[in-house]
Amino acid sequence: MSASLWLLWGLTAVLAVLAWRKGRLLEAGRIAVDLTRSITIRLSVAVFAAGFMAQALPEIWLSRWLGHEAGVSGILLASLLGMLIPAGPMVLFPIAVALGHAGVGAPQLVALITGWSLIAPHRFFGWELPFMGLGFSWRRAVASIAFAPLAGLAALVLQRI
Amino acid sequence: MTSFPVALAIGGSGADIGAVVAYITAWSVLGVNRLIVWEMPFMGEDFALMRECISLPIPILAGLLARWCFAGFVVEGRSES
């Protein structure tokens, strides 16, 4: 079992003890079962879709534009792609894993995930604009947009050291 | 998604655009719950921690850039713009 799974199990155990001490373990379990039902279906669909996508996209195209040899232009393209994925982590990470298996380089994946973290359209239009207003939202986007490719470049430099 | 109401509150209390941009960027790029629940299991610990370490300066730099570019902008939420 990986370290992250150990960490998750540890956290779950601590939280379960806290819920039990408040006498709400059963209620917590019921919420968890309901959530698991809805998430399992969505996550399975996302994982399958991402797997099919990785196989359906031509590998030559992927390695030329986003692979190890794509370098800086691949990082720029990956940043842009990340900023255009209108979905949460449940969809993004299966896509990233599938792209990784299809030959997309680690620096390009760093740029993709960072681009998505900084400016994902569903969060920008669904949450940031309604809450923060256009004046703030576009300024934040402008101030942070360059950091997705820069993170990818940093990963590229690290990879080559 | 509680991050935006909090950002609005700190902006309304007088925080400048640099601080609010740094806060939102830190939550969106470095969020530890997403790291543990999603990124580490899917991408592997090495990749996730490498990306997290590379991203550590991003909120500060984005905040400084916002402060430098948009000094004087008051964060008030959707009523402005």
Side-chain angles (χ1 to χ4, degrees), chain B residues 14-37:
Chain B
D16 82 324
I17 186 167
V20 182
V21 163
Y23 171 77
I24 292 180
T25 309
W27 162 74
S28 64
V29 177
L30 304 174
V32 175
N33 64 336
R34 201 184 59 214
L35 177 78
I36 296 172
V37 175

Side-chain angles (χ1 to χ4, degrees), chain A:
Chain A
M1 201 158 69
S2 64
S4 59
L5 269 178
W6 279 113
L7 191 64
L8 267 181
W9 277 113
L11 269 175
T12 309
V14 170
L15 291 170
V17 170
L18 288 177
W20 171 69
R21 284 177 63 174
K22 285 182 84 178
R24 292 174 133 170
L25 193 60
L26 265 181
E27 202 185 326
R30 231 170 273 139
I31 294 171
V33 169
D34 283 348
L35 267 176
T36 306
R37 264 194 215 131
S38 69
I39 286 177
T40 306
I41 295 167
R42 280 191 274 175
L43 190 59
S44 315
V45 173
V47 168
F48 274 104
F52 294 144
M53 187 193 76
Q55 294 307 311
L57 287 172
E59 270 178 41
I60 295 172
W61 187 91
L62 273 180
S63 62
R64 186 187 302 158
W65 292 98
L66 294 168
H68 297 285
E69 66 265 38
V72 177
S73 58
I75 287 172
L76 286 172
L77 184 63
S79 308
L80 186 68
L81 272 179
M83 290 175 197
L84 293 175
I85 295 176
M90 214 183 289
V91 172
L92 175 93
F93 287 110
I95 289 177
V97 171
L99 289 175
H101 284 305
V104 172
Q108 286 77 11
L109 287 177
V110 166
L112 179 101
I113 295 172
T114 311
W116 168 84
S117 307
L118 285 168
I119 307 171
H122 70 291
R123 199 174 51 228
F124 186 81
F125 292 107
W127 293 92
E128 189 164 357
L129 264 183
F131 268 106
M132 306 302 293
L134 181 63
F136 174 83
S137 302
W138 78 258
R139 285 175 174 87
R140 191 195 66 78
V142 166
S144 52
I145 201 163
F147 292 105
L150 285 176
L153 281 177
L156 188 69
V157 171
L158 272 181
Q159 201 179 46
R160 287 181 181 176
I161 289 175

